[in-house]
Amino acid sequence: ASYLSLFVAVSVSSTRLAIITGVPLALALPLFWVSLEYVRAFFLTGFPWASLGYTQYRTLPLIQAVDITGIYGISFLTLFANVTIFEIVIWFNDKGRSRYPLASSSTLAVLLTFFLVYGFFSLNRPDSAKTVKIALAQGNIPQDIKWDPVFQQETVSIYERLSRTVSGENVALIVWPESSLPFFFQEDLGNSARLSSLAKELSTTLVVSSPARETRDGKQKLLNSAFLINADGTVSGRSDKIHLVPFGEYVPLQNLLPFVNKMVHGIGDFSPGRSATPLATSFGKIGILICFEGIFPEIAREYVRRGAVMLVNITNDAWFGRSSAPYQHLSMTVFRAIENRVPLIRAANTGITTIIDKNGHIIGMTALFREDILSGEVRIGTEQTFYNRFGDIFAWACITVACCIALFIVRQSNKINRATQ
């Protein structure tokens, strides 16, 4: 918390210095803020949770342009609008003694016009892509019994029962949440055969999740993985979690911090997957985002760049309890769908399980801490977006201009110091 608070402190302090040297507030604060949001997303493993732009996840016409700018464009617009409103309030309360913020107001009008026109155009664009029916199981397995061997068979039975409720509905894909299997899928041949039989019985592709083991350089590594079982019962692929949760799935700098233990007690210390490899289904490739990988735009981008026509987010948010965190987690995945113009379906152990189309519409969602299954139809992705091809150009532009402002601040400060000597 102390480390993450520095990003707010530095952006505000830099803005204050910029204002002293003559840089407009409406220019300085959005640029410094967005630049540091981007740095936060990568520095020390990265943690881009709750970036400012995510507050707008329900304002669909406004956020369609993230397929150009990424989430950082919405962060910039949100902050620029608030700064402009602040300047207008100051001008009004000052009874006209200060100048009306004409430049920032005019710029905001232009930006809002662009974002909204582009948004309405995107939302009303015809789409003839193939429709796929999917189902998402929410087992609501309590965290304190998830890995208890006594409840192992009961856990699997719950997911089997939920999956059978959509039997005969021509569902092409059924997804179970992260760590839905309380055993090693690769090693427990009895339970693995049980799941293969279920996929054949339902004539559908099944995505399940369990830990996996892999030997690398003569050492055995533990992975957080998802497995794809075809309608004929064969296992055709595995997707490993690439971006692990620090202090949850491993301890960063463990050799330097031997006194630090994991905050979340699990099977052991996990290792990251090697690459973002989509898994092939009957309707196209899918990219699987495990847990908080859904908050990292670059991982979703890479899956789509490699041919994924749908993103699948599997997670276990039971750790969060009844807090705002599950809703925050959901809001961030909306942007991964729009950025890449592919649907994103989300299966969560305790919620929120949801279906999001390629324009960010939340088609359906479950309540927290309730056993449920959610089914629906989505249109697969058919094209790459500007953002998918070129990435965070907007964020890098903000960083470039912010660096120029910082250089200007240093030069102006040196001039002031020399003048006062």
Side-chain angles (χ1 to χ4, degrees), residues 13 40-41 47 51 106 121 209 221 226 233 246 252 264 292 297 349 381 391 409 415:
S13 300
R40 185 186 67 168
F47 192 65
S51 295
S106 302
F121 172 79
S209 174
K221 301 294 184 180
V264 179
F292 88 145
N349 172 33
I409 292 172
K415 286 181 181 180

Side-chain angles (χ1 to χ4, degrees), residues 185-360:
F185 179 79
Q186 297 165 304
E187 302 170 11
D188 192 328
L189 300 183
N191 278 314
S192 298
R194 178 179 176 181
L195 296 176
S196 294
S197 297
L198 178 66
K200 286 194 289 186
E201 173 192 333
L202 301 177
S203 298
T204 188
T205 300
L206 185 63
V207 171
V208 297
S209 174
S210 84
R213 289 192 179 99
E214 182 178 271
T215 302
R216 296 180 185 173
D217 301 323
K219 297 181 179 179
Q220 195 171 77
K221 301 294 184 180
L222 186 65
L223 305 168
N224 187 350
S225 303
F227 296 85
L228 189 142
I229 307 173
N230 295 315
D232 61 3
T234 59
V235 179
S236 63
R238 189 187 83 203
S239 181
D240 303 321
K241 187 175 183 180
I242 300 168
H243 201 123
L244 302 176
V245 179
F247 305 106
E249 294 172 311
Y250 77 108
V251 177
L253 305 175
Q254 192 167 23
N255 293 332
L256 298 177
L257 305 172
F259 53 87
V260 177
N261 295 317
K262 287 194 301 176
M263 296 178 183
V264 179
H265 298 288
I267 298 178
D269 287 322
F270 288 90
S271 297
R274 297 178 185 271
S275 62
T277 304
L279 303 180
T281 71
S282 59
F283 56 84
K285 296 180 179 179
I286 59 174
I288 299 184
L289 305 168
I290 300 178
C291 189
F292 88 145
E293 283 186 327
I295 75 174
F296 293 93
E298 66 276 8
I299 300 178
R301 277 184 60 231
E302 187 60 24
Y303 274 119
V304 177
R305 285 170 63 86
R306 294 190 175 196
V309 298
M310 179 187 295
L311 294 172
V312 177
N313 181 210
I314 58 174
T315 187
N316 176 24
D317 289 351
W319 315 101
F320 294 144
R322 293 188 181 276
S323 68
S324 62
Y327 298 93
Q328 294 174 21
H329 200 183
L330 166 65
S331 71
M332 291 178 267
T333 56
V334 169
F335 288 80
R336 305 295 84 83
I338 306 173
E339 286 165 353
N340 300 282
R341 294 297 174 190
V342 297
L344 185 145
I345 59 176
R346 186 171 190 268
N349 172 33
T350 56
I352 302 168
T353 297
T354 188
I355 300 170
I356 304 167
D357 74 8
K358 62 181 71 175
N359 291 329

Side-chain angles (χ1 to χ4, degrees), residues 332-397:
M332 291 178 267
T333 56
V334 169
F335 288 80
R336 305 295 84 83
I338 306 173
E339 286 165 353
N340 300 282
R341 294 297 174 190
V342 297
L344 185 145
I345 59 176
R346 186 171 190 268
N349 172 33
T350 56
I352 302 168
T353 297
T354 188
I355 300 170
I356 304 167
D357 74 8
K358 62 181 71 175
N359 291 329
H361 290 105
I362 297 176
I363 299 174
M365 59 190 294
T366 62
L368 282 175
F369 295 99
R370 179 180 298 174
E371 183 183 309
D372 206 349
I373 187 159
L374 179 67
S375 62
E377 293 185 345
V378 290
R379 294 189 182 276
I380 62 173
T382 56
E383 58 183 338
Q384 285 192 334
T385 64
F386 179 91
Y387 178 79
N388 185 265
R389 292 195 299 267
F390 301 107
D392 290 302
I393 289 179
F394 180 84
W396 278 107

Side-chain angles (χ1 to χ4, degrees), residues 132-135 169-174 203-206 281-283:
V132 177
K133 187 161 188 179
I134 54 89
E169 296 183 15
N170 295 319
V171 173
L173 177 68
I174 298 177
S203 298
T204 188
T205 300
L206 185 63
T281 71
S282 59
F283 56 84

